[in-house]
Amino acid sequence: MADEESPPGGEAQPPAAGLPPPGRSKSRTGGGKEANGKDAPEPIFPPATPTPISSKYYSNLSYWRARRVIFYKNGDPFSPGLEFRFKPGRDVSNMEALLDKLSLRMDLPRGARFIFSVDGERKTRLEELEDGGAYVVSSYKTFKHASYGKKSGVWYGTSSTSNVADDRRTAATKYGTYPGGWRSGAQRRGGSVSPPPPPLVAPALNSAVNQPPAPLGANMTTSGLKPSSGRIIRIINDSDHSVQCRVLLNLRTTQPFEEVLEDLGQVLKMSGAKQMYTLSGNEVRSFSQLRNEFADVETFYLCHGGSPLLGRNSVLNGDTGGRRSRAGSVAADVDRRRRSRSRGKRSVTYGDNETRDYSLVEVLKEEPLRLILRGLKRTFYPPLHHPPADNSPPDKRLQLEWVYGYRGTDTRRNLWVLPTGELLYYVAAVAVLYDRDEDTQRHYVAHSEDIQCMALHPSREMVASGQRAGRNRKTQAHIRIWSTETLQTLYVFGMGEFELGVSAIAFSQLNGGSYVLAVDGGRERILSVWQWQWGHLLGKVATHQDELTGAEFHPLDDNLIITHGKGHLAFWTRRKDGFFERTDIVKPDQASSRTHVTCLQFEADGDVVVGDGDGFITIYSVDSDGSYFVRLEFEAHNKGIGSLVMLSEGTLLSGGERDRKICAWDSLQNYKKITETKLPEAAGGVRTIYPQRPGRNDGNIYVGTTKNNILEGSLQRRFNQVIFGHSRQLWGLAVHPDDEVFATAGHDKYVALWRKHKLVWNTQILYECVSLAFHPFGVALAAGSAEGHLVILNAETGSHMATLRVCGSPLTCISYNPVGDAIAIGSQNGSVYLFRVSRDGFSYKKLNKMRGNQPLTHLDWSTDGNFLQTATADYDLSFWDVRALSPEKSALAMKDVKWYTQTCTVGYLVAGMWNNRYYPMTSVIVTTHRSSAHDLLISGDADGHLRLFRYPCISPRAEYNEEKAISSHVASARFMFNDRSVVTVGGTDAATMLWEVVDD
């Protein structure tokens, strides 16, 4: 194996005088005698190399002639260097195999790809690496000159066997005379004889377990270890250095230290282990020394009774020719330990209140994971048993099934009716075509970022939609033309032309919609005109306006464009040379607070009708000289006007954003008011009005509101809700434990329950909600508020049951324990509050709180209900002992706890979501959830990416299936109880989506 240790210098040393050749085994005539019957002489100098028992290694001495080299990180003068020993052709076959091994051992950004000498000369063949040399490993072709090896006080530029001899000579001076024999300081003073130390061999570099562990008892767990009660060490078989292992050692066991050594020997498959030594030759005699004197030592040698040097050669072992059966020895040792333990304190299960007596040793099969999150290193310890990691992408993928809500809080002109009767609108990055009669949705999902504006072609068979700009080249702002029948993209243009996004878009009218205008959302508000069939830019001009709310082609002139906004109403005439002539209708010196033009319509003869932010409607006409003048002006609403629609019979409909009124005006009778109606307060103000059947005069209309609702009705009858959506930030999401039902709660103070595509009920409470949880029985729903209140609702009816004051900080995460008799509430102040629950989730009694110091974001219960794990805002993983009502500071002691849910975004089994090598850019994970079958993992990040992994997800090389439907962060993502669907909610845009999990 490439990772095994070789003797210093990589050369086989000749045996000392009087010792048998290393290839000869022990004589069967008796222990300690040669074949001729004479006594074997005592060794006067220990062999300089470890001698494995297996004679097959000694049949060829060149087996141990390995090369010893040191590798440094490129550009890091403080790197201590990685000592690597290998035999070309046996351990590594070529340079690529060596680079693969170095990639696993060295923390390089893109793995080990190039090897240089310390002078910068690139090494391409394995034969160029000299024994004792120092080299630099890099992920890139560029070599960086630095003082490699000097900063740490040791220069490894040259190395020879003389250095090794000097080291031995120094050690000999410390432990006795050289070369006459090893004598400790106690021997020189006439004291007791101390066992001589093993030779000075560097610790093994192998990080994997070379041998499987021996059975160590039924109660093998370290769940209750305190910070000072356990530590990780590496143990090496002194008789065969190829047998080594990393173990977790319990320092608070009730067993004697001698039995500790026996158990450790069983792990290394050596019977009768009685002594432990450090690399420097100091014997370890007690747990106290391991805890204090050797607290910084990580590697130890185990040997049999007597001198540690006598265990390396069977001829010096003093053993008789008849070797005892190993199976019988192991059985006797196990039986002896079992009898010894039966006389001590009884072994208790995890969670009991008596003194715990854990098994002695636990083998660590994997290295801890270390991640850099928010500039700090986090360490996660592997559980002893977990499902095998699979880095291949899952055989499932996500398919968008339903989009809830409507985007009306910050956009206008965003609702249309197609010839098929489908409603057309957009939410986040998805264009939705909703058929009310069939209760089905179709989705156009080709946009990579949020849609900011949309326009319907005069034929009503095509749509132009413009998106905002993302963070990379693939998500640049652009315009898409697509078919409403097939949902196929017809044309894409404008890549690289828009700075922040497309804020307004419109088709021309006279030439059959051949022209498209677009307004850039950047600082200069650039207006551009395109011939979209060819992607040709016909002209562009900077409008230099602070806020531009819209732009339209004049219905009677395709070269005349009207733009409007804050203090701005202008006509733009496009000339044949591509330049624009500007005519300001509202003069800059006449601008007042009432000249914020919010919407625009045209009369049949071409006169312009505008509504402003103060509720006034103004009609502009053209005189014989071509100048525009105000023909009529009147007050229509108390505050701003959100929408104007001119019906075919000449009736003008106006909707107020603040007063929630919809008024009808007769344009043929000097805009005399016909009638008006008012929307309910819960619906919000008017954002968009569109006829249910364009071209018919039945008075039925659809109304999109500022609170993300869509209503249908007429001015003669009341309005009914067609679509309900949350209107402010949406963070609360909970899925039913045994039904296809989920609940949402947001900053708009609404809690809503959904069954598949239908809204079951929605209830407005007194507080803004930030977290949500179902009781395990499914009959109660708990909502945590931003003011520190816990609100309990009846999950079947939505009725309010109770309100509890928990603290003064937002309750960012809440969760019931598996049996439903307790609830844990994590707060932004860092504390966890515990309540006892009864009456199926409708009665609560405060138990206590566990104080913390970092804001909490996610919380999970253990399957036995005794522990909690929480993730903080700084991506730290914290643990809590519920029965002791205190934080559990030892992450090592909690590594084998089984968790009922997995919503914490950090941890060993979900670490592959972070710093994944396949991400196009750095991703900040906001939410995660494990499926009920424990085979899939869903994650959502701050850029709107939704990724489906296999579970567990440990390696940064884990592949995934990805979907993106929003630009802002995915606030929460949850699997439904049967793992057939995934529900996601957005943060700032309040987008709620249902995804079907389908076969890939």
Side-chain angles (χ1 to χ4, degrees), residues 649-908:
E649 74 276 11
T651 301
L652 178 69
L653 298 180
S654 64
E657 293 182 356
R658 299 289 185 87
D659 59 8
R660 309 190 308 278
K661 290 183 178 180
I662 301 177
C663 302
W665 313 87
D666 189 350
S667 62
L668 303 179
Q669 298 185 12
N670 207 23
Y671 290 94
K672 179 182 178 182
K673 179 184 287 189
I674 302 174
T675 185
E676 70 175 36
T677 188
K678 190 174 184 178
L679 301 180
E681 183 177 359
V686 178
R687 184 65 78 188
T688 299
I689 300 175
Y690 203 87
Q692 288 192 25
R693 299 174 181 83
R696 298 185 183 181
N697 300 327
D698 56 6
N700 295 321
I701 57 175
Y702 285 112
V703 180
T705 72
T706 57
K707 291 188 176 181
N708 291 351
N709 297 320
I710 296 181
L711 310 178
E712 65 88 19
S714 68
L715 275 68
Q716 289 77 28
R717 60 184 178 89
R718 69 184 184 90
F719 284 85
N720 301 313
Q721 187 177 75
V722 177
I723 292 175
F724 168 79
H726 290 275
S727 58
R728 296 181 61 189
Q729 292 189 33
L730 189 58
W731 289 90
L733 173 64
V735 293
H736 198 278
D738 54 12
D739 197 359
E740 290 187 333
V741 172
F742 66 94
T744 55
H747 284 197
D748 58 359
K749 303 180 181 180
Y750 274 97
V751 180
L753 187 75
W754 312 82
R755 180 182 295 276
K756 288 300 257 183
H757 310 156
K758 294 294 185 180
L759 174 68
V760 180
W761 52 257
N762 62 335
T763 300
Q764 188 172 19
I765 61 177
L766 300 177
Y767 312 103
E768 297 179 354
C769 296
V770 294
S771 57
L772 204 60
F774 268 104
H775 188 272
F777 298 165
V779 295
L781 188 63
S785 77
E787 294 84 0
H789 295 85
L790 183 67
V791 181
I792 310 301
L793 302 175
N794 187 319
E796 298 178 353
T797 62
S799 57
H800 177 267
M801 303 302 294
T803 298
L804 297 85
R805 174 71 173 179
V806 179
C807 62
S809 300
L811 308 182
T812 51
C813 49
I814 56 179
S815 178
Y816 290 91
N817 68 346
V819 297
D821 61 358
I823 187 173
I825 305 168
S827 174
Q828 194 170 351
N829 61 20
S831 298
V832 176
Y833 299 86
L834 296 173
F835 285 78
R836 187 178 301 280
V837 182
S838 58
R839 295 181 53 232
D840 295 344
F842 294 121
S843 179
Y844 294 79
K845 180 180 180 181
K846 188 172 183 179
L847 290 178
N848 213 322
K849 83 169 182 177
M850 297 178 287
R851 189 179 302 276
N853 53 15
Q854 294 189 52
L856 304 180
T857 57
H858 303 88
L859 183 149
D860 295 305
W861 282 89
S862 62
T863 54
D864 56 10
N866 292 331
F867 293 92
L868 296 170
Q869 70 171 357
T870 57
T872 69
D874 289 332
Y875 302 100
D876 285 326
L877 187 62
S878 305
F879 300 99
W880 312 79
D881 189 335
V882 175
R883 305 189 73 170
L885 296 176
S886 64
E888 175 59 63
K889 296 182 179 180
S890 175
L892 187 61
M894 302 294 295
K895 67 184 187 64
D896 286 317
V897 175
K898 304 299 182 183
W899 300 105
Y900 183 63
T901 58
Q902 179 65 58
T903 61
C904 289
T905 55
V906 288
Y908 182 84

Side-chain angles (χ1 to χ4, degrees), residues 209-260:
V209 176
N210 295 326
Q211 298 293 339
L216 297 176
N219 63 327
M220 187 168 63
T221 176
T222 56
S223 301
L225 291 179
K226 296 302 179 183
S228 62
S229 62
R231 57 172 300 194
I232 298 174
I233 63 173
R234 182 186 298 278
I235 52 176
I236 301 176
N237 189 329
D238 191 53
S239 301
D240 185 354
H241 286 200
S242 64
V243 181
Q244 51 185 270
C245 186
R246 296 178 71 254
V247 299
L248 174 62
L249 191 62
N250 179 14
L251 302 182
R252 290 191 176 183
T253 181
T254 59
Q255 293 177 271
F257 186 70
E258 291 74 14
E259 293 191 4
V260 172

Side-chain angles (χ1 to χ4, degrees), residues 40 52 72 78 119 153 189 263 266 292 328 345 393 432 454 468-469 580 620 709 716 761 807 809 825 867 936 956 992:
Y72 298 97
F78 297 96
D119 298 328
R189 293 188 301 269
D263 277 358
Q266 292 299 320
N292 302 313
K345 296 182 179 180
V432 182
M454 190 179 289
R468 56 164 290 185
F580 289 84
Y620 292 92
N709 297 320
Q716 289 77 28
W761 52 257
C807 62
S809 300
I825 305 168
F867 293 92
L936 296 174
T992 305

Side-chain angles (χ1 to χ4, degrees), residues 303-495:
C303 61
H304 300 84
S307 171
L309 298 176
L310 301 181
R312 297 206 179 95
N313 200 322
S314 58
V315 79
L316 303 176
N317 215 358
D319 206 357
T320 59
R323 185 173 293 179
R324 183 175 52 175
S325 168
R326 190 182 187 284
S329 173
V330 172
D333 291 339
V334 172
D335 185 64
R336 183 174 61 257
R337 289 199 308 275
R338 185 180 295 114
R339 291 196 302 269
S340 174
R341 286 173 182 165
S342 65
R343 293 192 296 269
K345 296 182 179 180
R346 73 176 184 91
S347 176
V348 296
T349 57
Y350 177 71
D352 292 344
N353 292 326
E354 294 101 320
T355 303
R356 300 177 180 130
D357 180 21
Y358 309 104
S359 66
L360 207 48
V361 172
E362 180 177 331
V363 178
L364 294 183
K365 296 183 177 180
E366 302 169 78
E367 291 280 351
L369 280 177
R370 293 174 175 87
L371 296 179
I372 304 296
L373 303 178
R374 300 288 292 266
L376 297 176
K377 181 179 289 186
R378 272 78 174 177
T379 302
F380 305 112
Y381 295 97
L384 182 61
H385 303 289
H386 64 76
D390 186 352
N391 293 336
S392 63
D395 55 1
K396 304 286 185 180
R397 63 179 178 87
L398 300 178
Q399 179 176 302
L400 186 60
E401 180 179 348
W402 201 264
V403 178
Y404 304 86
Y406 151 87
R407 184 171 181 174
T409 55
D410 57 353
T411 59
R412 295 180 172 86
R413 295 180 63 86
N414 51 15
L415 180 63
W416 299 267
V417 177
L418 300 178
T420 59
E422 295 173 299
L423 280 169
L424 172 64
Y425 55 95
Y426 55 89
V427 177
V430 181
V432 182
L433 294 82
Y434 173 44
D435 189 337
R436 289 185 61 197
D437 297 333
E438 300 293 334
D439 192 29
T440 58
Q441 283 186 355
R442 296 189 295 148
H443 307 107
Y444 179 74
V445 294
H447 282 283
S448 56
E449 297 291 336
D450 283 358
I451 300 174
Q452 291 186 306
C453 56
M454 190 179 289
L456 188 62
H457 193 267
S459 66
R460 299 173 66 197
E461 296 178 353
M462 290 181 292
V463 174
S465 53
Q467 75 171 45
R468 56 164 290 185
R471 291 203 297 163
N472 53 37
R473 294 183 60 185
K474 294 183 179 180
T475 58
Q476 295 181 91
H478 61 273
I479 297 173
R480 290 179 173 268
I481 309 293
W482 49 278
S483 169
T484 59
E485 181 180 357
T486 63
L487 300 182
Q488 296 295 318
T489 302
L490 304 178
Y491 299 93
V492 179
F493 59 92
M495 288 285 190

